[in-house]
Amino acid sequence: DCYGYHAVDITNPFSPTLMLTHQFGCSASRVSMTVLAVADQRLYASNYSELYIYDLTVPDTPTLLGTYGQLGRAILVNGQYAYLGGWAITGMVILDVSGATTPTVVSVYPALDPVIRFIKRDSYLFVLTTSGVTVFDINNPISPVVVGVINYHDDRGDTSNFALEGD
């Protein structure tokens, strides 16, 4: 299996244009790479166990800048910080990715169930887990403060996604 990404120009949303296709590589072990986020000319991808940070300054030849292990499937990049979560991480890990060659853990919030998705709205981070939604105030991004929790894990089953009105 081969894996990579397509770069699409959406300057005109009524006529999106495929600009290029780039393959990271192929693997007989079927361990693929999934693009999780693009921010500030950097691409954040995962092979389910590590986070890979690529420089997209030249989009058709991405350059690997750095990696970070223990990645799940959820990431949100906000400025110089990346919020990580998922099945392989217990809770939420906050990385400083300003030095992309050596991402540094700046904070860990261990009390969360596995994280499924992050949504940021203003200075709040909404974190969907397997048991509910936790809302953090991230005015100080390396020291988030819990401002609300909705627990719903009961006989109604798990939730796999969520959205905020207006998104």
Side-chain angles (χ1 to χ4, degrees), residues 84-86 88-94 105-115 127 129 131 134 136 142 144 146:
L84 308 177
I89 296 173
T90 302
M92 175 175 65
V93 174
I94 304 170
V105 175
V106 293
S107 185
V108 176
Y109 190 87
L112 296 174
D113 286 331
V115 175
V127 182
T129 70
S131 64
T134 302
F136 292 91
I142 62 174
V146 175

Side-chain angles (χ1 to χ4, degrees), residues 137-150:
D137 179 331
I138 57 169
N139 274 310
N140 180 352
I142 62 174
S143 186
V145 176
V146 175
V147 295
V149 176
I150 302 167

Side-chain angles (χ1 to χ4, degrees), residues 46-131:
S46 167
N47 66 354
Y48 299 101
S49 63
E50 284 189 284
L51 174 69
Y52 293 82
I53 304 171
Y54 288 89
D55 179 1
L56 291 181
T57 305
V58 181
D60 59 337
T61 55
T63 304
L64 180 64
L65 297 174
T67 62
Y68 175 77
Q70 300 183 32
L71 177 68
R73 293 282 305 163
I75 184 172
L76 180 120
V77 179
N78 182 41
Q80 73 183 62
Y81 300 105
Y83 299 85
L84 308 177
W87 297 101
I89 296 173
T90 302
M92 175 175 65
V93 174
I94 304 170
L95 293 179
D96 182 338
V97 292
S98 60
T101 56
T102 54
T104 306
V105 175
V106 293
S107 185
V108 176
Y109 190 87
L112 296 174
D113 286 331
V115 175
I116 297 168
R117 183 170 182 213
F118 296 105
I119 294 179
K120 182 183 176 292
R121 168 86 52 92
D122 301 322
S123 62
Y124 297 101
L125 182 65
F126 296 80
V127 182
L128 175 67
T129 70
T130 55
S131 64

